[in-house]
Structure formats: structure tokens, C-alpha cells
Amino acid sequence: MAPQTLYEKLWSSHVVHQEADGTALIYIDRHLVHEVTSPQAFEGLKLAGRKPWRISSIVATADHNTPTDHWDEGITDPVSRQQVETLDANIREVGSLAYFPFKNERQGIIHVIGPENGTTLPGMTVVCGDSHTSTHGAFACLAHGIGTSEVEHVLATQCLLQKKSKTMLVKVEGQLGRGVTAKDVVLAVIGRIGTAGGTGYAIEFGGSAIRSLSMEGRMTVCNMAIEAGARAGLVAVDETTIAYLRDKPFAPKGELWDKAAAYWRTLKSDEGAQFDKIVEIDAATIAPQVTWGTSPEMVTTVDGRVPDPAQFADPVKREGAERALKYMGLAPNTAITEIAVDQVFIGSCTNSRIEDLREAAAVAKGRRKAASVKRVLVVPGSGLVKHQAEAEGLDKVFLEAGFEWREPGCSMCLAMNADRLEPGERCASTSNRNFEGRQGAGGRTHLVSPAMAAAAAVTGHFADVRELA
Amino acid sequence: MKPFQTFDGLVAPIDRANVDTDAIIPKQFLKSIKRSGFGPNLFDEWRYLDVGQPGQDCTNRPKNPDFVLNQPRYQGAQILLARDNFGCGSSREHAPWALEDYGFRVIIAPSFADIFFNNSFKNGLLPIKLDAAELDVLFAQCEATEGYRLKVDLAAQTITRPDGKAIPFDVDPFRKECLLNGWDDIGLTLRHDDEIRAFEAKRRTEHPYYFA
Ligand code: SF4
């Protein structure tokens, strides 16, 4: 057989039916559900008198709308509460493999809890009504974000209508410098290929720098594949993957585990497999990244400067940059380290796992939040992450530094709950989107790694974490 | 879903790249558990000078006079001209719901974000990818001509300009068929239920650990 890419292996093992024009029905192994994009799907299903096809594929949680403090008061915003209660009612009625409702100790951001509970397994197709489903590709899963009509389609048929993507290999070779994290790698990739660079592709991340990342780092990278326009990101299975999954609650046990692991080890691109596009990046050239605009591709290094739009040759890009600088309230050529921040957010499905919190805590330890910074929010990705962090004393480190230690959820990543920026406020954020208004109407977001966010919190402006020592 | 056949509509231009789903429908409106009623909040942050809240009556909110869709000449627009990577960002289907509820039936851009592109078809909204040079002409004509209209013929796969020039466009045959007939994807898929069952049974035997 001709050598195959990982994507092709995953694709061909899930095709149920194919139309002449290439549109295929793909079987879905895991369906992740949260409160924002599911109510209309459950309603549609009911209205049509249909039943869910395979309940044991469903893993659900409430994350987008849930508050991150005063849990004793419940969800005070009535509209948010209705959405969460609708999910409760739907899951109660329909059933699921696992449901982690508001306040459950395993509740958290859907893309954090899937892997940590072992409900995301290599070789699966994973879907969720959320674009950052690409996160799960770190486990060599074909993981897609889908719309609400598709949520309903998967509920009703256990399948998704798809066309095969093209394949791109992003190869990051070499060793990452000190203070350079998975987040910096993926921001550098997006800076290189652009937010539409991956449109129509499934991106496989490979090369020695990716291999050397932990599963958590790989999830950070795949999480942002969607910000490069790719619906799916992928990393091949290796011993790091296998070791992570062993003993996770929903991972197979005993003989089944051995059988599974043997199969999982085949989930990598074959030697000589052909990609439609290859992008190569030298890991040693990547420095800590900071975005300066309103799209993740508007990114530079911490020792860089805000660009001058006049220098952009492409008129659409120039106008985009001008508009972005106006929105961000930045003058061309400003040194990144001169930009002061009002708030700092450490959290989101990109960077709220235990290793992220450890990185941030390492910088915060023995330091204090700068007086000019109004608020530093640290929001763990799940109840389990929170527990672990507290067991390691990270909560104390943050609290002593003047940071706030919160309950798990999406929080200020998209500001659907009470955590948000005021108009004009500037935030160093470990999330994945710096769109206009993303963290609150008029708010200004700069995307950075957890260590860089902590560095901004203690200095009051962007600072090179490599120099903070 | 409404079937889509030929269609003649007023055109409005949004001349910026990377229009994201947060701009199309800001997140506070995602708290709704309904599918309809998002039209008044389409492009909310660009369209109004105040901050919109879900459930609010928008008729008396202060409008931003600089936003293109607020100009009198574009009232009632049903065809949107846009730039690269339209609909990037989240998977929220609220974006096509809002566009459709506002009255748009067609969006023409050089490129779209994948999930948005997909979601549009499922809601009777036709996204058309057109060559950037071809689109530049449409932008220029639209801006120069008040009451500028285009005719879109899905069966023939053409956009016809007021000057009579017909521009061909590509569309996936399967999606075209569904849109022309207003077919429901789920109903179509369930015609293959035997195949799905057979696939599932085989997968369960070969990979039992996915079915625990
Ligand atoms: S953390 Fe942010 S990006 Fe991730 S699922 Fe929640 S809202 Fe979406």
C-alpha cells in the first residue's frame, strides 16, 4: 500500500459512505457537548421526533457561561442560567457517557476535561460545537469543530458529512530556547502562514520540537490550528501519548488497553507519505511571541515593535493593520515591552492546564502584581486542574502575588460570564483570540504564553520572560 | 430549509478582510436557546454606538452612521460582498442565523472560513467564492451605483451584473442539490442507516475500546 499520512489513515478508517463528488459520511466516535451550541440541536431533534443514535458517545459539561467565583450564589445571570439548565435538562432526558455539570468536581472547559478523563482517545473522530475541538488532535484524533446543525446531525445519525481536507505538515525542528513554549510555537506558525493559511487543510504538526512537547503543549499547539484556518490539527502518537493516557478514568484497561495501545502506535504518517504542503520552521529562531493586532496572525516577538502599516505592500493588509492599531490604541513602531497592560488573564482551553499554571507560577513566585495592573485572573481549566494546582501550592503563589484564583470555566476567554474587560482596557491573555470585543466590548487583547502573561502581570507591561530570570 | 433557486437582490459591501464571527454576532447573544431573532444584532458592535444586550429592543438604539449597513442606500440588502476569510473564528451557527435573519441570502467573498462556509449551506445561505479581481469589479460597481443589484442563479451557477455580464461560480454538486431542493441533511443521511449500522458493528468488533 502507498504510504499514508496520519490524516488519511484517520479519514479512511471512518468513511461510512461516499458520494460521487467526494462528500463522505464520516462515523463519529466521540461527541462533546456544551451549553452554548447544543440547545437548538436538542430542540431540533425533538421537533423532528428523532432519537440520539449512540448515547455512549456523548460527553458533556457546562463551561462557557458558568461563573468563576461565588459558586455558592449559583449562576446569577438569568439568561446564562437558562442555557445551563437547558443543558442539564437535555442530558437528563437523553443520557450520556459522562456529564460534568456546573459545580461538579470534574467540570471544566470541554477541551480540558475530554483528554484528562481519557474520553479522548487516539484514532477517534471527535466533534464538538466549538471550533477549538482541534485541541484533541494532539492525541492523533480527527477532531473538528462543528456548527449547531451538525451537532443535531451527529446526535441523530452518529455521522458527519465531510469532504476530505488537503494535508499540510508543519515541521518544527530543533530545540526550543529557554522561556519559549508551545504557545509561542503556534503563534509563530500562525504569524508565518496567516489566519487563512490552513483553510481547507488538516495540519499535522511534526518535527523534533513538537515530539519533545508534553501532551499539554501539543494540545496548546493543536488548539490554535483553527486560528490558522485549519479545521483540524494533528500530532502523531508516540510514547508520550501512550504514557499520558494510561490510567485515565475512561481509558481502556487490561487486555483492551494492550490491544488499543498496539493500534494507536500505528497512528502516524508513514515514511514517504505525501503532503499537499510542507512548512518548515527552525525551533531555535522562535522567541516569546506577543500579538499586537486584532487577529492572531498580527504577531511579533517580545523584543520586536508594533509594525508601521505604511510598510505593508498589500493594500488590504495595510488597511487591516491600520484599523487594528486604531482599535488597539497603539502607535506604529512602539516597542512591545513599552506596552502597559490593565488586566491579565491566565486560562482558556489553550493554556489552563496544570503545566500552564506551573509556568505562570514560576514567574509569579516571590513577585507581586504591578500596582498599575488592575486585576490578574487565574482560571484553571477544570476542577481536576484546580485540585492539582492547590495540592502543589500554586494557588498560594498566585494569591501571594496578588493574583485572583478562580473556579474553572471559559471565563474571560470570551467573556460570556461576568469576567470581562472594560472598553479600552488592555489585557495580556493566554487565550486564543484577540478579535475586537472578544474579551468585552472595546477590550484590547494581546495573546501570550502563561509565563509571558505572568511577566506582564508583575512588571505592568510586556516583558521578556527570558530576562526575568 | 427554504429551497434556493434564482434570486435577485440589493447588494451591500463590507470592505474588510477577516470579518470574524465575534463581529458578525457578539457572544452575549449566544446565550439564546433559540435559532431565530438574531438579525437585529447582526454586526452589533459595528452597527450601534451602545453595547447591545440580549433580549433588548433594538429599534431605538443609537446607530453608528459610519457603518455601511446603516446607510439608507443599503437598506433591504440581501447580497453581501465581502473580503478574504469571511466568517473566521468560532463555530457558532448564530453567525449564519444572524445573517439570514437580517435578510441576507448570498455572501460573495474570495474565501471563507471552513466552518462558517459549511454552516451557511445548512441555513439556506449561499456562500460564493469568487476570484478577487472579479470581486473588485463588483465592489467598485456597487459603490458607484445606488440601488446596485445582482442576479444569482444557483442552477446555472452564474451571477449576473446589471450590465448583463454573467460571472460563473463553482459550487459543490451535493450542496447545490440540497440547497436547490431545500433538503434536510439528516433525512438524507438516514437513508444510509443500514450502512451506518453495519459500519458501527464492524468498528465495535475491531476497536471495542471506543465503545466502552
Ligand atoms: S476557553 Fe475560550 S476558546 Fe476555549 S472553549 Fe472556552 S470560550 Fe472557547
Side-chain angles (χ1 to χ4, degrees), chain A residues 263-327:
Chain A
Y263 170 57
W264 295 344
R265 288 190 172 97
T266 68
L267 297 174
K268 54 184 181 210
S269 291
D270 296 329
E271 197 70 47
Q274 294 293 314
F275 290 86
D276 295 302
K277 191 168 177 180
I278 296 181
V279 175
E280 291 184 71
I281 293 180
D282 176 359
T285 63
I286 303 174
Q289 308 277 308
V290 181
T291 64
W292 50 265
T294 52
S295 155
E297 71 184 14
M298 295 173 169
V299 66
T300 186
T301 52
V302 63
D303 48 10
R305 287 177 179 275
V306 174
D308 183 351
Q311 308 294 320
F312 285 70
D314 174 354
V316 178
K317 281 228 152 85
R318 188 186 317 134
E319 242 178 83
E322 277 167 4
R323 202 178 283 120
L325 291 193
K326 184 156 172 257
Y327 181 84

Side-chain angles (χ1 to χ4, degrees), chain A residues 399-435:
Chain A
L399 291 169
E400 276 160 22
F403 298 6
E404 293 181 29
W405 177 241
R406 294 293 187 91
E407 306 289 350
C410 293
S411 179
M412 209 161 72
C413 172
L414 93 167
M416 270 186 83
N417 66 2
D419 311 334
R420 66 181 63 148
L421 298 179
E422 294 302 318
E425 276 189 342
R426 190 179 297 289
C427 181
S429 176
T430 66
S431 57
N432 44 42
R433 287 195 176 135
N434 51 351
F435 299 160

